[in-house]
Each structure stands twice: as C-alpha cells, then as structure tokens.
Amino acid sequence: MPADALGRGVRRLGAGTINAVVRIGYAARFFVAILTHSPQSILRVGLTTREIYFAGVLSLVIILLSGLFVGMVLALQGFDVLEKYGAGDSLGVFVALSLVRELGPVVAGLLFASRAGSAITAEIGLMKTTDQLAAMEMMAVDPLSRIVAPRFWGGVISMPLLAALFSVMGVFGAYIVGVRLIGADSGTFWGNMRAGVGFWPDITNGIIKSCVFGVAVCLIAVFEGYTAKPTAEGVATATTRTVVIGSLAILALDFVLTVFMFRGMGAK
Amino acid sequence: MNRTTIDFWVGIFVLIGIGAVVFLALRVGNLTSLTTTPSYRLEAHFDNIGGLKLRAPVKAAGVAVGRVDRIQLDPRSYEAVVTMRIDNGYQFSKDTIASILTSGLLGEVYIGLAVGGDPQMLADGGQIGKTQSAVVLEKLISQFMFDKASSAPAPAGAAK
C-alpha cells in the first residue's frame, strides 16, 4: 500500500524530529548539570590536569603539524593570487588574518573533535558499557563530577591553547614558504602583518571563537558518551556521532559568530 | 603514567599555549604600539577626510609617528575633527600643516605632517591650525571634465 508506506514515512520523520528535539533539551539539561557539578572537580585539580594531558598534550603533534602545512599552503596559494594584483606585499596580512580569524579556531576545532572528542566519547561510553559508571554510583561517587566534568573542563581549557598554537605554527609556515622559499621581503611580511592585524577585533575574536568551539565539542563528546547505548555498536555509533555533530556544530557556530563579530562592527 | 610526569607535560603545554597567545598579540598583532609607548593628543579640523579610518597612521616625512585616535563631526562648523595620538618622543611646531594623503593610488589613507619653522611646539590637546583636506578623486575628475567642456567651445567660437 503506497498510502500506508507514506504514512509510515511521515510517522518516522515526526518521531525522528521529536527525538532530536528531546536530545537537544536533554543536552541542555546535561550542560547545566555539568556546570553545577564542576566546583567539586575543579577542587581536585589532578583530575582535570590528567584530562588536559590526554585532550591537549597528546593532540599537540597533529595540531602543530597541520598548522605548519596549512600555513605553508596558504602562503603558496595566497602569494600566487596576490602577486597577480601586485599585492604580494600583503602576504603577511592575508595569512595572519585568515589564520587568526578563521582557520586557526575552525581547523584546530575540527581536528580536536576527531582526535580528542572521539576519545572522550569512546572512553565514557565504554565505562558505561562495562557498568563502571553504575558501580561508581553504588559507591556514592558521582560520575558527573568524577568522570564527566573533568573531561569537559580539560577539553575546554585545551581548545583555545591548541587554536593559538595552530595559528602561530601557520604564521611560521607561511614565513618559511613566503620569505625563505619564494623570497618575499621579511620586513614587509612582518611589518604589514602587524599593521593589518589588530589585537582587539581580530585576535580576541579568534580566541572567543576557539573557546566557544571548545565548549561545544566537549559538551557533545561527553553527552554522546554518557548517553551511548551500552553495547559495542552503541559506543561505535556514539563516537561517530561525536565527530559528525561536533564538526557540523563548529562550522555552523563559526558562521553565526562571524556574522556577529565582523558584520556587527560595521564601518569599524 | 606517573602523576608528576603528567603535571610536567600539562605545565609545558599550558606555558607554550600562553606563549602562542602572547606571540600573536605582540608579533602578529600590534598590541605594543597601542599601549607601551606614551603619547599625547593633537587635534585637527578638516573639510573632508575622504577615506581616513580610525587607527590610520600619522606620518612626518614618511615616518609613522602616531595614529588616528578619534574621528568626529563638529556639529556647528560641519568640519571633521580628527584626534591623533602622537608618540611622546616627537614634537611638532605650532605652524605644522596636516594633510590627508594616500600612499599610492589604492593604498592606505594617512595623515601627513609637514613641520614649519615656529619655535613654539604643540602641547597635549593642541590644535593644528593649517590643514589640507583629502583629494576626492571623483571631484578631481569632474572638475577636469567640466573644465574641458567649458574650454572646448572657446577655440571653436574664436575661429568663426
């Protein structure tokens, strides 16, 4: 029956939509719960330090290398186009602005979501699958403040630092390619960069962006892990969802934040 | 892994992360030129500032000596009032001329200061009396066109 199949399709679509809205509401409640459980986890700094190690320090290699290569490619591509319009002197500004405003926070955020976010989800999901979270509750240890909040804060603290390092490595890579390889002038490279990049609008906005992305990715990661189905397949699905939803959230938030930050300033 | 080792690496991570932010602020951005050099204010009135923007450089003999701090419209005279911050190391005479210039055809707009011979120097909050407005390219072109148009028929009339 085509009509019956249509009805079933509509019903499934409706159920999916309602499910998604319910999950968003649950995630919001979960976020508030993490915040209220944070003071206890902040008092025990060692827990958060350990998570900064796993989320931040171990992501350093991929972040630094990616930043270097992104900066080098930016310099090559940018120089090619800018030179056509006789603006090869602006290479430093071009590279620094695109890194500090956009690529630093966004690409570092995407890498962070797939490198650290997925690990957080898998870890919490597996703890749930093996009933470790339930065991903690039995021992009157709150898993939210013992497991979830430290991972959340460890990621939130790591993310802006990683984004800043990404931007610095990118500028350094652009310097290597632009100045050492192509032969742009070192003085104009740094001079134009400093004249064109402002601390207040540009760099602070980039830092704000990376903080927002950090909160979004870490919330998604711990939430997906905590609500994962306690099966091997459930953990796998949750890990995939963290990467997919986290990346999409970063890109969508980036658009919204950019509209506010750079359009809102108007005539500057 | 040992607890102290983790703390050590996290400490290094946080330190180089903060170092990166400082590097961005000082080397990539221009935080230093804003805060560390002590400066004083000068004011100048212009008929038209063209494309002058906030934080545009103020140059004397091509050397950057300060930045544009504020741009306002005088509600009575309808002139643009430009406030500049000049580094304390530089003094300018009272008869200095400020003009709005452009570096190259499409380059940035800046204020050029031409120093006069007056022994008295401008103090903090002082006003530059003589100014030269921005050259608006459209006005220049239309002036040129109308000059051509009005002068072109003259030889034809003389020939009659």
Side-chain angles (χ1 to χ4, degrees):
Chain A
M1 293 287 149
D4 200 35
L6 190 71
R8 211 180 303 134
V10 169
R11 232 173 294 143
R12 202 173 297 152
L13 192 71
T17 313
I18 291 174
N19 228 344
V21 174
V22 167
R23 272 186 83 79
I24 289 174
Y26 187 20
R29 215 152 51 83
F30 192 67
F31 182 48
V32 176
I34 292 176
L35 292 186
T36 51
H37 284 81
S38 297
Q40 292 146 304
S41 74
I42 288 171
L43 285 179
R44 299 177 62 186
V45 187
L47 290 177
T48 312
T49 320
R50 189 174 160 277
E51 298 313 324
I52 295 179
Y53 179 80
F54 284 117
V57 178
L58 295 183
S59 305
L60 267 182
V61 177
I62 186 174
I63 291 281
L64 294 183
L65 277 180
S66 315
L68 191 69
F69 282 117
V70 166
M72 295 202 291
V73 170
L74 262 186
L76 279 174
Q77 296 279 11
F79 192 79
D80 191 42
V81 175
L82 288 173
E83 195 63 358
K84 265 184 201 154
Y85 299 97
D89 288 348
S90 315
L91 182 68
V93 193
F94 166 75
V95 169
L97 279 185
S98 25
L99 277 169
V100 167
R101 284 181 176 179
E102 284 297 329
L103 289 173
V106 171
V107 179
L110 293 177
L111 290 171
F112 183 76
S114 32
R115 166 69 182 73
S118 57
I120 293 174
T121 307
E123 196 184 4
I124 298 180
L126 210 63
M127 279 182 177
K128 193 184 175 191
T129 312
T130 52
D131 286 333
Q132 292 184 45
L133 297 184
M136 278 187 176
E137 273 174 8
M138 292 291 286
M139 294 187 290
V141 176
D142 188 1
L144 264 183
S145 51
R146 180 71 176 76
I147 300 292
V148 173
R151 278 165 182 72
F152 177 78
W153 286 112
V156 170
I157 293 168
S158 305
M159 182 56 219
L161 300 175
L162 290 173
L165 282 166
F166 186 95
S167 300
V168 169
M169 284 309 281
V171 169
F172 182 62
Y175 171 78
I176 292 176
V177 166
V179 177
R180 300 277 145 159
L181 225 66
I182 300 178
D185 184 56
S186 163
T188 39
F189 182 84
W190 291 112
N192 279 346
M193 190 188 292
R194 289 182 65 172
V197 182
F199 182 73
W200 283 116
D202 298 322
I203 295 176
T204 41
N205 278 356
I207 295 174
I208 292 171
K209 269 187 180 177
S210 58
C211 291
V212 172
F213 296 164
V215 171
V217 168
C218 294
L219 177 64
I220 291 169
V222 292
F223 178 70
E224 288 294 344
Y226 198 77
T227 58
K229 277 204 192 103
T231 57
E233 197 192 348
V235 175
T237 318
T239 313
T240 315
R241 284 173 60 100
T242 296
V243 177
V244 173
I245 300 180
S247 308
L248 287 180
I250 286 174
L251 295 173
L253 278 173
D254 180 51
F255 173 70
V256 174
L257 287 174
T258 309
V259 167
F260 276 111
M261 285 168 174
F262 296 114
R263 293 295 308 186
M265 292 198 309
K268 214 172 175 184
Chain B
M1 195 184 258
N2 194 334
R3 177 72 175 276
T4 352
T5 327
I6 288 181
D7 282 353
F8 172 73
W9 283 110
V10 169
I12 286 193
F13 170 62
V14 171
L15 280 182
I16 63 168
I18 291 170
V21 174
V22 171
F23 176 85
L24 285 179
L26 299 184
R27 199 69 210 262
V28 176
N30 44 16
L31 192 64
T32 39
S33 60
L34 267 179
T35 49
T36 52
T37 50
S39 56
Y40 65 99
R41 259 180 303 178
L42 288 183
E43 218 173 68
H45 292 243
F46 292 94
D47 290 333
N48 189 338
I49 58 166
L52 190 72
K53 292 207 176 67
L54 282 181
R55 305 187 25 73
V58 178
K59 296 180 180 179
V63 180
V65 294
R67 286 191 179 277
V68 172
D69 196 36
R70 198 170 46 177
I71 299 174
Q72 283 172 309
L73 184 72
D74 185 339
R76 267 171 299 173
S77 64
Y78 292 102
E79 282 178 333
V81 182
V82 176
T83 312
M84 297 164 260
R85 285 215 154 267
I86 309 289
D87 292 355
N88 267 357
Y90 303 106
Q91 300 288 317
F92 292 97
S93 63
K94 282 226 153 134
D95 56 351
T96 297
I97 302 174
S99 37
I100 295 182
L101 304 167
T102 310
S103 55
L105 197 59
L106 300 167
E108 60 171 358
V109 180
Y110 65 97
I111 295 185
L113 298 180
V115 184
D118 198 316
Q120 278 190 308
M121 295 295 169
L122 285 162
D124 182 34
Q127 190 179 338
I128 298 176
K130 289 174 196 158
T131 61
Q132 198 174 23
S133 286
V135 176
V136 179
L137 211 58
E138 291 90 323
K139 264 190 196 168
L140 208 68
I141 292 171
S142 70
Q143 216 167 33
F144 175 74
M145 300 266 275
F146 286 126
D147 273 3
K148 275 275 186 210
S150 58
S151 62
K160 261 181 198 168

